[in-house]
Amino acid sequence: ILWKTTMSKKVPITVAEGDGIGPEIMLNTLLLLKEAGADLEIEKIEIGEKVYLGGNTSGIEKSSWESLRRTKVFLKSPITTPQGGGYKSLNVTIRKSLGLYANVRPCVSYYPYIKTNFPGMNVIIIRENEEDLYAGIEHRQTNDVYQCLKLISRPGSEKLIKFAFDYADNYKRKKISCFTKDNIMKMTDGIFHKIFDELGQEYPNLEKKHMIIDIGSAKLAKSPCDFDVIVAPNLYGDIISDIAAEVSGSVGLAGSANYGDHCSMFEAIHGSAPDISGKNIANPSGLIQSAIMMLAHINQSEVAQLINNAWLKTIEDGIHTNDIYNPETSTQLVGTNEFTSAVIKRLGQKPEIFNGTIYQRFTSKSNTIKKARIQEKELVGVDVFFDWKGNNPNILAEILQDIGNKNLQLKMITNRGVKVWPDGFPETFCVDHWRARFVSIHPEKSINHLEVIQLLSQIENKNLDFIKIENLYTFDGEKGYSLGQGE
Ligand code: NAD
């Protein structure tokens, strides 16, 4: 066994055929990989609809995890998530469980063969994959209010942003833009932006720009050719990568890669398209492009280049599936199998117009990031959130002012973040979700957990329904919490 492992060039990969059009596009992609000479040892696993409907709400069996952790490389077809509650997103689970922190999506225009308003567009979106609102920590706290927790960590952001800079640098890109909304979310998006500025100093050759996500997305939709590499937190990255893929004219053609320090996953960006499944009309190009990224990642760049050239030549020759067929530029309307055969026939040929640059493997040096110093953390107060059905904050304040202790006193009450006491406005619309901020009355003196517990027990004695607390900390004396709007 040892001899075999050492001598064989074959790289083990895990493959999932998925649902809907998944099996047909995977069959075609694997055939193309074989014909091109990819050296792979394929382990197949079952994921998705069948597994979900078999009663496994995660959509993946334990044995499949074993395969993924053994091969560390996953080529995945789209899956169908059954309708109705209770099913967790398999993609999010796989990305997070395997530590695939960087999602890379090249959005490239294939003008004039595929219609787009932006010939020459070539944007790479690098999206954080594990954190942000996708932590999936949601709670219904009152009758009327639902909460989703947005978590952004310094090391998580550092790893991803370092990856994005290394990626841009490695592929000789000129410019990297960071999109956040840190004019509003000064702490979560603020740390992402700050790390972009900090790490950016190590890349003098790259032009760096930060944009607020709203205007950034607008500019990306209107003039995508002004962008090169974009790095963004999870939710924004998810949205802008679809915008970018769509305006490139090729949402059905784009592949994507998810990279981590140990494993990687490659998949098309489209879904399982159940409406066209089993009809031999699906375009296998998104999965083929993902497979090309995979081959580059496992050091089989020559095969990747061979396939990419043949694929580009097929597109240039006007041999198109129904989704991209256009009588003005297409010469032949083909099905899934015929398209793949056309690519196989062109293995060894080169495209005439397109430049089929292959994104070869590179390693991000995230382990070179210096660990941030641990700052001195002090507890200086507590926000207590209430489910309270009253509508006059002055009444709630009267009850709460009555409690507290010699160190902790009520400072303000907000409703959905807006200060409503003291000096609130009667015009402010309030729901049944209130926050009372208690702070240490001696600014230089911190409080302790016992005082918080005493406060909560006093609140309990007043028969108030507290739904959660958030401790207020300072870090080296700097506030680790935001002020209320209007505070
Ligand atoms: P979809 O991408 O499957 O389909 C949208 C439209 O694009 C459909 O009209 C479809 O026919 C067409 N289309 C998609 N891929 C195509 C291809 N390769 N060739 C030709 N036409 C193609 O999106 P949807 O309809 O919103 O989702 C269908 C299912 O896919 C849902 O269950 C969804 O949860 C799932 N989904 C899975 C993934 C994934 O596994 N990565 C991603 C997105 C959606």
Side-chain angles (χ1 to χ4, degrees), residues 21 76 78-81 91 267 269-276 282-283 323:
I21 58 169
K76 173 181 169 289
I79 58 149
T80 302
T81 311
N91 265 358
E267 61 176 342
I269 68 171
H270 59 74
S272 57
D275 53 333
I276 56 164
N283 188 345
D323 55 314

Side-chain angles (χ1 to χ4, degrees), residues 6 10 12 20 33 36 92 97 129 144 180 185 218 231 261 263 285 314 332 340 353 421 448:
T6 342
K10 279 195 190 307
L33 289 173
V92 176
S97 306
N129 229 357
D144 293 343
T180 75
M185 283 158 279
V231 61
D261 287 337
C263 304
S285 297
T314 310
Q332 210 184 329
T340 310
I353 296 184
W421 182 92
N448 59 44

